[in-house]
Amino acid sequence: MNPLQGRPATRYVSLLVTAGLLVGCAVNRGETAEGAPLARQLTQSNHCGLAAPGLVYLDSAGQIERLSGLPTRNLPLDTLRAVDFEREHLVLVSLGQKPTGGYGVTLEQSEIRDGTLEVTMTVRQPAADTLVAQVLTTPCAVLAITPEGWDRLKVSGAGMDTLTRER
């Protein structure tokens, strides 16, 4: 005798769980179709020149020159110019102006979920009892991200506001 015979509800629940798992796998992605990461960190700086927290999205090489005019910028633009914009776009993630040294931001992970490229960042800040340089900083990280498979960008991490951008 079939153990599920006479128990159609159990059979349907099993079928629904299996279908849910298959759909979940199809919606979430952790890498491009070619196996490359969805996001990779190119560089970071303590002095990007952006006084407010936010995202700067660059989808062409010509837009890199916009960064050259930032005040107090100490960001290596040659690294950014080497990106193939047919395969990757750039995102500058800024923490905004900070009152001392010791702050920073780095890429932790990325995933495409339901049409949103979700990027998680790790934010570094000095401990309360740490001696730090008394200087204004504008920390940021520059990421190369896939331009495919998403319509919304969401950047978040403990210690920072969630930043979003629609394509």
Side-chain angles (χ1 to χ4, degrees), residues 6-93:
R7 292 188 243 172
T10 305
R11 209 173 331 165
Y12 291 123
V13 169
S14 297
L15 186 62
L16 286 174
V17 169
T18 302
L21 289 173
L22 291 173
V23 168
C25 292
V27 174
N28 297 347
R29 269 192 9 217
E31 57 186 34
T32 66
E34 295 82 29
L38 298 173
R40 62 188 181 95
Q41 185 163 324
L42 294 179
T43 189
Q44 65 183 23
S45 175
N46 292 329
H47 301 285
C48 289
L50 295 171
L55 301 174
V56 176
Y57 184 80
L58 307 171
D59 60 5
S60 71
Q63 293 177 329
I64 293 173
E65 294 313 310
R66 293 189 327 182
L67 300 178
S68 65
L70 291 173
T72 68
R73 176 195 56 84
N74 186 16
L75 194 60
L77 297 183
D78 289 340
T79 304
L80 309 184
R81 288 183 183 110
V83 169
D84 177 2
F85 279 89
E86 294 293 320
R87 301 178 58 130
E88 296 178 305
H89 290 174
L90 297 177
V91 175
L92 189 146
V93 179

Side-chain angles (χ1 to χ4, degrees), residues 70-155:
L70 291 173
T72 68
R73 176 195 56 84
N74 186 16
L75 194 60
L77 297 183
D78 289 340
T79 304
L80 309 184
R81 288 183 183 110
V83 169
D84 177 2
F85 279 89
E86 294 293 320
R87 301 178 58 130
E88 296 178 305
H89 290 174
L90 297 177
V91 175
L92 189 146
V93 179
S94 170
L95 292 181
Q97 185 170 295
K98 298 298 180 186
T100 67
Y103 290 88
V105 60
T106 56
L107 174 65
E108 186 176 315
Q109 67 178 17
S110 60
E111 177 182 38
I112 294 178
R113 184 179 305 169
D114 299 326
T116 298
L117 175 55
E118 297 182 6
V119 177
T120 305
M121 305 297 289
T122 298
V123 176
R124 183 182 72 253
Q125 57 186 11
D129 60 348
T130 303
L131 292 175
V132 291
Q134 297 298 304
V135 61
L136 294 177
T137 62
T138 54
C140 75
V142 180
L143 312 177
I145 64 169
T146 181
E148 307 288 321
W150 59 273
D151 296 314
R152 183 171 186 251
L153 174 63
K154 176 182 169 188
V155 179

